């Protein structure tokens, strides 16, 4: 495949995501149609679904691939003196409602996700969809078997934190409380 079609596809994808973000922030997620987004990006609805088969939610939150790569990289690329749970906590502290100093648009997007049931459910699905990958990385980094139920439980608990703690009045304090509990159950991770 030549560079031009790839660049054109990337530009179309970015135009759709930008249009969706702008329209969602202006009018609210539930009031914006895919037809309006496609029109704002000067493309067809069918093209929108080619680039974002997950629909409207994926336009704002992606498909989970970036999330999974970043999550596993946070564990694999941590400094040797940083515990796995600390690396995961630090990673989550930079995302969505936990980010202590988001730019104004990011703050509005986080608020939109939290206040919109469809977006919140999709975000949770994206996080929990990382369970197998996080379990594999935990096994790799701890020298345990990937079939160890304890590691799968830990991965699931970590991946539920954004949904549970992210909606609290003080998300960052809730994030810290969640990891305090996890460290009690997995002190060696």
């Amino acid at each position: 495949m030549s560079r031009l079609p790839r660049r054109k596809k990337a530009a179309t994808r970015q135009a759709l995501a930008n249009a969706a973000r702008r329209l969602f922030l202006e009018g609210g997620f539930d009031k914006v149609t895919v037809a309006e987004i496609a029109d704002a990006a000067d493309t067809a609805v069918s093209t929108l679904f080619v680039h974002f088969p997950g629909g409207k939610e994926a336009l704002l939150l992606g498909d989970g691939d970036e999330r999974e790569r970043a999550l596993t990289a946070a564990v694999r690329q941590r400094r040797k003196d940083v515990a796995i749970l600390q690396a995961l906590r630090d990673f989550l502290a930079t995302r969505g409602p936990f980010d202590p100093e988001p730019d104004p648009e990011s703050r509005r997007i986080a608020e939109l996700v939290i206040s919109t049931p469809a977006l919140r459910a999709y975000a949770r699905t994206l996080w929990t969809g990382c369970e197998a990958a996080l379990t594999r990385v935990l096994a790799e980094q701890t020298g345990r078997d990937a079939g160890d139920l304890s590691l799968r439980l830990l991965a699931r608990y970590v991946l539920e934190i954004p949904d549970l703690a992210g909606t609290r009045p003080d998300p960052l304090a809730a994030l810290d409380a969640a990891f305090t509990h996890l460290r009690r159950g997995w002190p060696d991770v």
Side-chain angles (χ1 to χ4, degrees), residues 32-107:
V32 176
T33 67
V34 291
E36 291 170 322
I37 296 165
D39 186 54
D42 197 28
T43 190
V45 170
S46 60
T47 301
L48 182 149
F49 284 109
V50 165
H51 289 280
F52 295 94
K56 284 174 39 176
E57 293 85 358
L59 282 156
L60 190 63
L61 296 171
D63 61 10
D65 290 341
E66 178 278 331
R67 186 177 311 244
E68 185 175 295
R69 281 191 303 275
L71 178 69
T72 57
V75 175
R76 284 188 176 120
Q77 297 170 6
R78 74 189 193 288
R79 291 187 337 254
K80 292 297 177 196
D81 63 330
V82 174
I84 292 170
L85 285 174
Q86 186 62 47
L88 288 167
R89 181 256 172 232
D90 294 347
F91 169 75
L92 288 176
T94 66
R95 306 291 288 221
F98 304 116
D99 186 351
E101 297 179 17
D103 61 78
E105 183 177 78
S106 295
R107 180 182 310 277

Side-chain angles (χ1 to χ4, degrees), residues 92-166:
L92 288 176
T94 66
R95 306 291 288 221
F98 304 116
D99 186 351
E101 297 179 17
D103 61 78
E105 183 177 78
S106 295
R107 180 182 310 277
R108 290 179 61 211
I109 289 170
E111 290 168 357
L112 180 66
V113 171
I114 289 168
S115 66
T116 306
L119 286 172
R120 186 171 165 200
Y122 186 76
R124 181 176 179 268
T125 298
L126 291 177
W127 282 115
T128 58
C130 298
E131 180 183 319
L134 182 55
T135 300
R136 281 191 303 275
V137 171
L138 291 171
E140 162 194 307
Q141 295 293 308
T142 61
R144 296 183 188 171
D145 183 80
D148 182 339
L149 178 60
S150 177
L151 294 180
R152 184 171 176 212
L153 289 169
L154 177 57
R156 174 67 64 90
Y157 292 150
V158 167
L159 297 170
E160 291 288 356
I161 291 172
D163 184 54
L164 296 171

Side-chain angles (χ1 to χ4, degrees), residues 9-23:
K9 286 180 181 181
T12 299
R13 186 174 171 83
Q14 190 61 54
L16 285 162
N18 290 345
R21 186 173 47 255
R22 180 179 54 76
L23 292 170

